[in-house]
Amino acid sequence: MEILDFITRNYIIILAIYGSIISTLGIILSIYNYNRDKAKIKVNASIGLFSGTSEDGKVFLFIKAINSGRRPITLSSVGIRTSDGGNILMRKISLPMELSEGKSHNEWIELEKLREISCEFAWYRDETDKLYKSKNIKNMLDVYFGRRKKRKKSKPLDIRPLE
C-alpha cells in the first residue's frame, strides 16, 4: 500500500518526470534523424591508369565523390586546391549532376599536368556552394614525382621469449 499511497499523493510530480523523460527522448530522436537524413559526401583522390583505352600509358589523378548520406545532392564543380590558395578547375563534361544515395562520381586529370604545381587537396562543390574536401594529396604527389622519398615501413620487432 505504501507505493500506491506515494503515487496518489505525488502523481503530479510523477507525471512531470515522465513527461520530461519522454520529451527528452523525443528531442534526442529528432536530432539523430536530422543528422542521419542528409547528404554526406566523401571525396577521395587516388593515382591510377586507364586500361584498354587510347589513354594507355598515361597516369591520372582520379577524384571520386561518394554520397553515403540519405538525400540526393547536386554536384556542380570539381577541382584541386593549390598551396598558394588557387584552384585548378577540372573538366566538367558530366557536371552538374545529381548524386543520389549510395552513388559516386569520378573525374580525372592527367598527372603530368600537376608536375610543377604544389597541390593541397581535391574538392567537389555542390549547388549550394558547399565545399567537400579530400584528405591532403601533397604527400602522395610529392612521392609520385620524386620530390620526397616514400617512407620505408619499419621492420617488425623480433620478439623472443626470455629463457
Side-chain angles (χ1 to χ4, degrees):
M1 282 298 225
E2 289 181 25
I3 294 176
L4 196 54
D5 284 340
F6 177 78
I7 291 173
T8 55
R9 289 183 189 163
N10 300 308
Y11 70 93
I12 294 176
I13 294 172
I14 293 170
L15 284 175
I17 292 170
Y18 174 75
S20 65
I21 290 171
I22 295 299
S23 63
T24 302
L25 290 175
I27 290 170
I28 291 170
L29 185 62
S30 295
I31 291 170
Y32 172 75
N33 282 333
Y34 172 77
N35 285 329
R36 188 180 69 155
D37 205 26
K38 59 184 178 181
K40 293 180 183 125
I41 302 296
K42 183 174 182 186
V43 178
N44 296 322
S46 60
I47 295 174
L49 302 166
F50 281 115
S51 62
T53 66
S54 62
E55 304 289 345
D56 276 347
K58 293 182 182 176
V59 181
F60 294 89
L61 177 69
F62 292 94
I63 303 173
K64 183 177 194 174
I66 304 162
N67 184 359
S68 60
R70 298 179 60 135
R71 292 279 180 225
I73 192 161
T74 302
L75 300 175
S76 61
S77 58
V78 61
I80 299 168
R81 175 75 46 94
T82 61
S83 296
D84 62 2
N87 286 306
I88 300 170
L89 292 174
M90 296 175 57
R91 65 179 185 81
K92 299 190 315 183
I93 294 173
S94 58
L95 291 178
M97 76 165 294
E98 184 175 272
L99 200 60
S100 59
E101 174 184 355
K103 300 295 181 184
S104 65
H105 180 265
N106 280 301
E107 292 291 342
W108 55 88
I109 185 169
E110 192 176 332
L111 210 49
E112 272 308 307
K113 293 179 181 179
L114 303 175
R115 179 175 288 281
E116 302 300 323
I117 302 170
S118 179
C119 301
E120 291 295 319
F121 57 86
W123 54 265
Y124 271 87
R125 190 176 301 274
D126 68 13
E127 288 289 323
T128 63
D129 213 29
K130 184 172 179 184
L131 189 70
Y132 302 94
K133 302 176 187 179
S134 72
K135 290 182 180 177
N136 193 319
I137 62 174
K138 183 174 177 37
N139 294 335
M140 177 176 57
L141 295 177
D142 286 349
V143 168
Y144 178 81
F145 290 124
R147 298 185 286 233
R148 180 181 298 163
K149 299 284 186 205
K150 189 173 185 178
R151 285 190 216 157
K152 293 181 181 177
K153 291 184 179 177
S154 60
K155 294 179 182 178
L157 297 174
D158 185 19
I159 300 174
R160 296 181 187 159
L162 293 174
E163 296 179 17

